[in-house]
Amino acid sequence: MPRCLVSAALALSLAWPVLASAQAHRPIPIPIPLHSLRGEVVFGQPPDITLNGQPARLAPGSRIKSTQNLLVMASALVGQKGQVNYTFDLYGMLLDVWLLSEVDLAKPWPQTREQAATWSYDPVTQTWIKP
């Protein structure tokens, strides 16, 4: 009986790295809503930011997502600048912000509501098409 327990424990210890690697995070395309816009943001002291050169504010309960789709605290981004996709809440404050990777930046995306109204979205290629 003890020999069976030893061999079972040995087998489990050898299989553990394989089981653990199966749980590793794999990068997937981040689902960004079609009603979001693209712009440049400079993070100041929360909730203050600069969006496309204009002062703006993060909404209470705003969510900032990294390129791995993980939540990032605004206080961790103070002083950083980058290209993002964003949505507004009902009061005109930024509600959701997605930090973009090089792959995301390569795809065209509307920067204004007027562009979003005139461009068309192709769900097969998952890209916006300019008129």
Side-chain angles (χ1 to χ4, degrees), residues 34 106-109 119-129:
L34 297 179
K107 296 179 182 180
W109 202 277
W119 293 15
S120 59
Y121 184 76
D122 183 8
V124 175
T125 61
Q126 297 182 349
T127 56
W128 282 93
I129 301 168

Side-chain angles (χ1 to χ4, degrees), residues 6 29 75:
V6 170
S75 58

Side-chain angles (χ1 to χ4, degrees), residues 39-46 48-52 58 64-67 72-84 97 99-100:
E40 183 177 82
V41 70
V42 178
F43 292 94
Q45 285 297 106
D48 297 325
I49 61 166
T50 304
L51 177 65
N52 298 325
L58 293 169
I64 302 171
K65 295 190 179 179
S66 70
T67 56
V72 179
M73 303 308 292
S75 58
L77 299 171
V78 172
Q80 293 187 26
K81 176 170 89 169
Q83 294 287 324
V84 298
V97 178
L99 304 175
L100 301 176

